[in-house]
Amino acid sequence: MSHLMSIYARIPVAFEKGEGVWLWDTTGKRYLDALAGIAVCDVGHCHPRVTQAICEQAGKLVHTSNLYEIPLQEKLAARLTEIAGMDNAFFCNSGAEANEAAIKIARLHGHQNGIDNPAIVVMENSFHGRTMATLTASGSRKVQAGFEPLVSGFVRVPYNDLAAVAQVASRNRNIVAVLVEPVQGEGGIRVPLPLPDYFHGLRRLCDDNGWLLMLDEIQSGIGRTGKWFAHQWSGVKPDVMTLAKGIASGVPLGACLARGAASQVFKPGNHGSTFGGGPLACAAALATLGVIEDEGLIANAVKMGNAIRDGLTAQLAGVRGVKQVRGLGLMVGVELDVPCGALVQSALENGLLINVTAGSVIRLLPALIIGRSEVDELVAGLSSVVKAFLAQQPAAQPAG
Ligand code: PLP
């Protein structure tokens, strides 16, 4: 009997070794990992530079707390704010915590500007985490059900719908911020199109109304979409941006970056974390960012993302049941017209690790180091699994 809480519907396989885009299970079987720990292991499993940085730092100093100065945290904040064009950073341990920090900045910003009941605009089908505030912010009843009463102070609108946000602006004087994923991940790899127009529109609405534009780049950030951060495809700058996942190659780390007025909201005593931004996580993050830059992985994400989408589009052309191949960089989604969770198991049996989200969207988030031959293997393997799965589906009944 397991002594773990029954929280995860785990796939019955355990891995004991990883290298690059490859994982080996406890029986020695090898898998092409097209998920990278859900967009975490961006530089591949056990990249030697990251491994060395973790080992060296673990041998020197792991934890001191935020009661004292942490030079590696300063260095990481300087690097992240430089590549993001932001002013400062707060470090925590997960994506949900990063979003909690963003939500607290928005509320405090509201209170500091005379709004006693601040509210944040959030999107349908979004995902921001599993804490009470972030599950309330998430646009998913599945995530929220059973945890009522939810947190107040969120107003929901459809994603990729500027008119809906403008309508909220005209009606609700308590809005202080918009919180949005530049590309929705859990929601089904949804790219707002045209992306620059959406973000320029949101920026304008925020500027006109004195709101903060807060971007959740937890899944889309750290090079995954072919820019350091997905919003950089638009040229628009946020006031607040949250990061986690790929930032430190699997050593837990989250970050909330802020700019301008938002960067001055928190004062000592407003927020904190025991573990956040410890020396070990910061060493892992600095090594990860160094590898992404030195190995040209952001450009690779564009090239390989295009190759995967082009390959899948060609292989699945005309296949009944395939609705769309889409994405940005190495956030790739294949939407089918039927629920397809069963594909995860059949892909696994074929040595391929994939994910299905939003019921019917195959989600691929491979490491940014993926190469051409691995892309070819992924496309061939996934296409044949998808074709076999769809061939077993009953034909749709003709209408009437
Ligand atoms: N925000 C987004 C966009 C995410 O994809 C996730 C995780 O999937 C989170 C927030 C929550 O991150 P964490 O699981 O590290 O709390």
Side-chain angles (χ1 to χ4, degrees):
M1 192 193 92
S2 173
H3 293 283
L4 293 172
M5 283 192 194
S6 176
I7 286 178
Y8 303 103
R10 290 185 203 270
I11 299 156
V13 63
F15 302 103
E16 65 180 14
K17 193 177 86 164
E19 191 183 318
V21 295
W22 301 99
L23 280 171
W24 285 263
D25 73 12
T26 45
T27 70
K29 180 176 169 182
R30 190 177 81 144
Y31 300 80
L32 176 53
D33 181 5
L35 204 54
I38 324 182
V40 169
C41 308
D42 280 2
V43 299
H45 295 286
C46 302
H47 191 288
R49 264 178 74 182
V50 178
T51 302
Q52 188 186 353
I54 292 171
C55 291
E56 280 179 7
Q57 190 57 43
K60 257 195 279 187
L61 187 64
V62 172
H63 177 78
T64 56
S65 91
N66 284 299
L67 292 175
Y68 309 106
E69 291 181 359
I70 302 175
L72 282 171
Q73 195 182 110
E74 295 280 353
K75 197 169 165 192
L76 179 59
R79 183 74 189 110
L80 282 173
T81 52
E82 181 193 353
I83 57 180
M86 304 292 277
D87 290 332
N88 55 19
F90 160 75
F91 293 103
C92 48
N93 313 286
S94 67
E97 277 181 77
N99 284 333
E100 286 280 344
I103 291 164
K104 285 180 71 174
I105 288 175
R107 285 187 166 199
L108 203 49
H109 174 73
H111 283 280
Q112 288 168 357
N113 287 283
I115 298 176
D116 296 333
N117 222 348
I120 299 171
V121 175
V122 290
M123 305 298 155
E124 288 174 7
N125 297 315
S126 60
F127 184 74
H128 298 294
R130 300 277 190 167
T131 59
M132 282 310 303
T134 59
L135 75 81
T136 303
S138 297
S140 159
R141 270 311 290 158
K142 219 170 90 182
V143 168
Q144 297 171 343
F147 299 108
E148 298 83 0
L150 300 179
V151 176
S152 61
F154 293 96
V155 174
R156 195 168 310 285
V157 298
Y159 188 57
N160 199 18
D161 184 344
L162 288 172
V165 182
Q167 217 172 39
V168 171
S170 67
R171 275 205 235 115
N172 191 329
R173 305 317 310 165
N174 288 329
I175 302 295
V176 291
V178 175
L179 174 63
V180 56
E181 292 159 89
V183 177
Q184 286 190 333
E186 306 296 308
I189 310 290
R190 299 195 182 274
V191 187
L193 290 175
L195 187 143
D197 293 11
Y198 186 52
F199 285 95
H200 280 283
L202 286 177
R203 183 70 270 176
R204 208 171 313 117
L205 282 163
C206 286
D207 290 344
D208 289 351
N209 293 284
W211 304 344
L212 301 178
L213 178 58
M214 310 203 299
L215 299 184
D216 177 342
E217 291 256 18
I218 287 160
Q219 194 163 143
S220 58
I222 315 291
R224 176 143 299 274
T225 69
K227 297 277 185 191
W228 273 115
F229 308 104
H231 72 268
Q232 290 173 335
W233 285 106
S234 73
V236 162
K237 274 194 183 175
D239 301 293
V240 174
M241 171 169 69
T242 53
L243 302 171
K245 287 195 180 282
I247 194 172
S249 294
V251 180
L253 184 69
C256 178
L257 274 56
R259 189 175 66 87
S263 71
Q264 303 304 313
V265 169
F266 277 150
K267 299 284 178 282
N270 288 144
H271 199 47
S273 165
T274 296
F275 293 128
L280 187 70
C282 290
L286 284 162
T288 302
L289 298 178
V291 171
I292 291 174
E293 184 162 67
D294 297 346
E295 296 189 8
L297 298 186
I298 296 180
N300 195 55
V302 175
K303 244 199 304 186
M304 295 303 132
N306 287 337
I308 293 173
R309 273 188 298 281
D310 290 350
L312 289 173
T313 302
Q315 286 290 324
L316 297 174
V319 175
R320 185 178 52 82
V322 177
K323 275 174 83 173
Q324 194 184 29
V325 177
R326 59 176 178 249
L328 190 64
L330 285 171
M331 285 183 90
V332 179
V334 182
E335 184 170 6
L336 306 188
D337 68 0
V338 286
C340 59
L343 271 173
V344 171
Q345 182 63 33
S346 43
L348 184 86
E349 285 159 16
N350 285 277
L352 199 55
L353 302 180
I354 61 162
N355 173 252
V356 168
T357 191
S360 57
V361 181
I362 302 161
R363 178 170 55 158
L364 307 177
L365 302 162
L368 312 190
I369 51 145
I370 195 167
R372 190 62 222 215
S373 65
E374 294 152 344
V375 162
D376 292 344
E377 205 169 316
L378 168 60
V379 167
L382 183 61
S383 316
S384 69
V385 167
V386 170
K387 284 179 194 166
F389 170 79
L390 287 171
Q392 289 164 3
Q393 301 301 308
Q397 295 300 311

